[in-house]
Amino acid sequence: MKAKSIMSLLGTLLLFFGFSFLIPIITGAYFWYRDGGGGLGLSIKSFSIAISPFLIPFSITGILGVFLQVLASDSDEPTNKEAFFTVGVGWFIIVALSSLPYLLSRTIPNPFDAFFESMSGFATCGASIVRDLEILPKSILMWRATTNWIGGLGIVALAIVVLSRIVGAGGANLYKAETSGHEIVKLRPKLRETATSLWNIYALLTFVEIVLLSITFIFRHKMPVDDAIFESICHSFATIATAGFGTRNASIAAFNDPIVEIIIIIFMVLGATNFVLHYKIKQGFKPYFRDEEFRVFVLSLAIATAFISINLWATGTYKSIGDCIRYASFNAVSLHTTTGFANADFAYWPDASRFVLFVLLFIGGCMGSTAGAIKMGRIIVLLKAAHREMRKALSPKAVIPMTFGKATIPNEIVNGICAFFFLYIAIFLGSTVLMLLFGGIKDGIFVAASAVATTMGGVGPGFGSIGPMANYADLTNAGKFILSIGMWIGRLEIYAPLMLFLPSTYRR
């Protein structure tokens, strides 16, 4: 591998990433000034908690980015190896830098906890070690939401939009290494235009949700305008990224508002839908209904919601069928889209409902979306591959093509998806064993398995002691590190992280 190419890419990513610290800095400055009365009430101590923890990593990131760019001034175009290496290592570096505000503000003094919280943010997981979110400074809460939003479509994809330094073959390799799916669907002739189109859609959906939630908070919850906008931005950043970091200990249940829940349900589904379909909205809604993956995804959501609703009603968990549908629909959508918000403590629902939710942790949303887990498209291909093998067992000489939508799927794609599925399940099983041995989970194998499944899939809450109204604070440092690695592997879709451990990656 060429060291200069890697340094150049890392420098570019760090220079871009550094600007993300400005969002919590602006947030902290505003609320520091507002809550201090704009005069003598301003406190140096509150400044040191709300603002200064972001100024130091902002400076470090910028200096490091410039330093790497200077060292790699004459770099060549990156190859596949360098692109995958940059994504795998670059993600770790960015997560480490983004954990500094937690440590410097002393809101999360334990380095393992800070790394876990940071990895969870960028992996759009939503799992947290914070025991009481409601005492955190608003700048820290905004930083958590910002890491969700940036991680949603990927740090690398956003860098392609802003900086043309990595456009070209190397840019395509880097983009492919980070984004979800097996190939890049080019909406525009150039990669930079494709990434720009995706991020424009991403930003527009975020803005629309911010407006809708702000109106709801102002008029239904009588929040002050600035607080309503703050809450709306934090929750919109986490929703469209299908991430799940909130501002309240009880998640969305704290608002106890069906209107808020409906808005969030809509945007969780939109975030978990292939963004190529959103781009085709100019053609109306036909592209959505013609897309096989989207149809199966919506059907799966409906079946899960119906089953859980009936189970909750039959077991008397809630008094009315309306409440059963309300809580079943929100939490089924939340876990299926890998968002991780909750409007009820499903950790103690009936076993049948919890098992369905556990299965949803593995499925996830659509390919080309911000959702995590295995993805609906891969599940469809796996089911079709199994069906084809059964047909071939009956007619060994038959040539049976496999289609996805209107396209024929090449065997190498099928093989790749089968390999991905095997690796995903193998890592899940191995990590579950490690969590049982070293993770500090004391309430059984199901809870340990849910911890691994929910973090690998980028969901967040599990069951039992790590349920939606609990947190991961009581796990051992080893357990937190194991789950952090699982988030990293799951978010980068297995191959980029695992390639770092292959000797062939480092051969010329």
Side-chain angles (χ1 to χ4, degrees), residues 313-325:
W313 179 73
T315 55
T317 305
Y318 298 103
K319 294 181 180 179
S320 70
I321 187 65
D323 284 344
C324 292
I325 295 172

Side-chain angles (χ1 to χ4, degrees), residues 254-265:
F255 300 110
N256 191 27
D257 187 347
I259 302 300
V260 171
E261 293 164 13
I262 290 170
I263 293 171
I264 290 176
I265 283 175

